[in-house]
Amino acid sequence: SRAREPCFTPQSHALAGCLADLNTGLLAMLRIFSNDDQGVGRRQTSRPILDSTAVFELVANNAYFHHLTLSAVVTNAIWIAIDVDINHPSVSVDGALPLEPTSVVIENIFCFFFTVELLIRFLAFKKKLSFYKDGSFIFDGVLALLMIIETWLIPLISMNSNENLNSLSSLRILRLLRLTRMARVMRFFPELVTLVKGMARAAKAVYFVLMFLLLVLYVFAVFFTSQFGDPQLDLEGGEAAASLFCSIGDSMMTLLTNGVLGDNIFPVLEMLKKDSVIMMWVFVVFMLISSLTLLNMLIGVLCQV
C-alpha cells in the first residue's frame, strides 16, 4: 500500500520556525559564555581601549571640533576688522588703545585657542615627525607662532626689560595674515572649491587675453601720445585732450580707465572732438576692440571653462 504523506498545517510551520530561532539563540549564548570570557580578559590585558594618540586623533577628526575651529576662525576675522577700525594707534590716549584692556583679553583668548588647537592636531599624528608633510598644519603653525610672538613674547620681554620694543610694533600688520585662515571655509562649502578650481583652469586663457589687451593699450597709447603728447604740459586743471595723453603712462591710464572700464566716456569724447574728430573716432575704435571685443571674448572663454 502507498505510505501516507505528512500533512503540515500553517500552525505547524510557525511552531517549527520558532523552534529554529530558539535553537540558534541558545547556540549563540553558549558560544558567548564558553569562549568570550577568556577572550575578553585577554583583550583587556593585552592593550588599553584607547591610547593617547587615538584619543587626540578622535578629537582632531571630530566634526564638532572642526565646527568649533571654524567658528573661532570666523570670529577672529570679525574681531580683526573691529580692532583695525576702532582700536587704532592714532586715537590712543596716554599710550593706551581705546579698547584696552578688553582687546588684550580677547587676543589672549584667541592665541590660547589656536595654540591648543594646533597642539591637538600635532598629538593626533601617529608619527610625530611626519607633521611637515601636512601643508595646512605647517601654515597654521606659522600663523600660531606669529600670534604667540605678538601676543605673549613681546609684552613679556617689554615687562622684564628696559628696552624699547616699539620698533617691533610693525608686527601688528602680520595679524592680517590670520585672515588667510578663512580658506578653511571652503571645506564646508564645496561650491567655493568649484569656483577656485574654475579660476585655476581659466588662468591660462585669461593670461593671454590680458596680455593681448596690454599690447593693444600700448599701441594706442603710443599713437595718442604722438598726437597730443607734451612733457612740459602742466596737468593740473587741464581741460584739453593733451592733458590726458601727455605721456605713455598717462595715455595708457586714460585708455584703461576711460576706454576699457568705461569711466567718464562722454567728457573724454567731447575733449577729443574739440581737438580732432578723427582722434575721437580712433578712441571709439579702441573701445570697440578692447571693451566690447576682448572682454566679451574673455567672458566666452570663462563660460567654456
Side-chain angles (χ1 to χ4, degrees):
S1 63
R2 189 172 56 181
R4 294 181 60 187
E5 295 181 358
C7 182
F8 294 99
T9 62
Q11 291 81 3
S12 62
H13 281 290
L15 180 59
C18 292
L19 291 176
D21 294 338
L22 181 60
N23 187 26
T24 303
L26 289 175
L27 289 175
M29 292 176 64
L30 287 174
R31 292 194 197 96
I32 292 173
F33 286 108
S34 62
N35 299 327
D36 282 4
D37 288 340
Q38 296 178 357
V40 171
R42 185 167 56 253
R43 285 195 297 270
Q44 290 178 351
T45 56
S46 62
R47 65 176 179 84
I49 297 176
L50 287 175
D51 55 9
S52 58
T53 302
V55 171
F56 288 110
E57 186 177 358
L58 287 176
V59 175
N61 294 327
N62 188 272
Y64 292 104
F65 180 76
H66 288 292
H67 290 311
L68 179 62
T69 304
L70 180 63
S71 301
V73 169
V74 175
T75 306
N76 188 29
I78 296 174
W79 164 249
I80 289 175
I82 296 174
D83 183 57
V84 170
D85 192 29
I86 301 177
N87 212 26
H88 201 275
S90 61
V91 293
S92 60
V93 179
D94 297 332
L97 298 176
L99 296 180
E100 290 183 352
T102 305
S103 61
V104 177
V105 175
I106 294 176
E107 288 290 339
N108 279 273
I109 291 174
F110 281 123
C111 187
F112 176 77
F113 176 84
F114 288 119
T115 303
V116 172
E117 183 254 347
L118 192 71
L119 181 61
I120 291 174
R121 290 170 58 188
F122 174 75
L123 295 175
F125 286 104
K126 293 181 179 180
K127 295 181 179 180
K128 301 298 185 289
L129 296 180
S130 63
F131 69 91
Y132 66 91
K133 298 179 181 179
D134 190 347
S136 62
F137 180 84
I138 296 296
F139 181 74
D140 292 338
V142 173
L143 294 181
L145 180 62
L146 293 175
M147 198 172 187
I148 290 172
I149 292 174
E150 178 192 355
T151 307
W152 290 341
L153 293 184
I154 293 180
L156 187 62
I157 296 174
S158 300
M159 291 171 56
N160 297 330
S161 66
N162 295 325
E163 297 181 2
N164 187 7
L165 298 179
N166 291 330
S167 60
L168 297 179
S169 60
S170 59
L171 289 175
R172 286 174 55 89
I173 198 172
L174 295 178
R175 70 179 56 191
L176 299 179
L177 291 175
R178 304 177 200 170
L179 294 174
T180 55
R181 283 197 182 103
M182 293 293 291
R184 292 188 181 184
V185 177
M186 293 192 297
R187 299 178 185 176
F188 298 89
F189 298 98
E191 293 80 5
L192 298 180
V193 179
T194 304
L195 290 175
V196 173
K197 290 181 178 179
M199 292 173 60
R201 292 180 58 186
K204 183 178 180 180
V206 172
Y207 169 75
F208 286 110
V209 171
L210 293 180
M211 187 172 64
F212 186 56
L213 178 62
L214 181 62
L215 180 63
V216 173
L217 274 172
Y218 178 75
V219 171
F220 276 86
V222 171
F223 183 76
F224 276 96
T225 306
S226 64
Q227 298 296 319
F228 299 105
D230 186 2
Q232 305 298 326
L233 182 65
D234 186 9
L235 299 181
E236 296 182 0
E239 296 181 355
S243 64
L244 300 176
F245 303 99
C246 59
S247 65
I248 296 294
D250 292 327
S251 298
M252 292 185 69
M253 182 60 65
T254 300
L255 292 172
L256 177 64
T257 55
N258 301 110
V260 179
L261 302 180
D263 183 32
N264 290 330
I265 300 176
F266 295 106
V268 175
L269 292 177
E270 287 292 333
M271 294 170 64
L272 288 172
K273 184 179 179 181
K274 290 180 181 179
D275 290 345
S276 173
V277 178
I278 296 177
M279 297 305 298
M280 181 194 72
W281 284 107
V282 172
F283 190 85
V284 172
V285 170
F286 169 78
M287 291 176 56
L288 293 175
I289 295 175
S290 60
S291 180
L292 298 179
T293 305
L294 286 178
L295 294 187
N296 284 319
M297 286 175 60
L298 178 60
I299 295 174
V301 168
L302 294 178
C303 290
Q304 275 190 341
V305 173

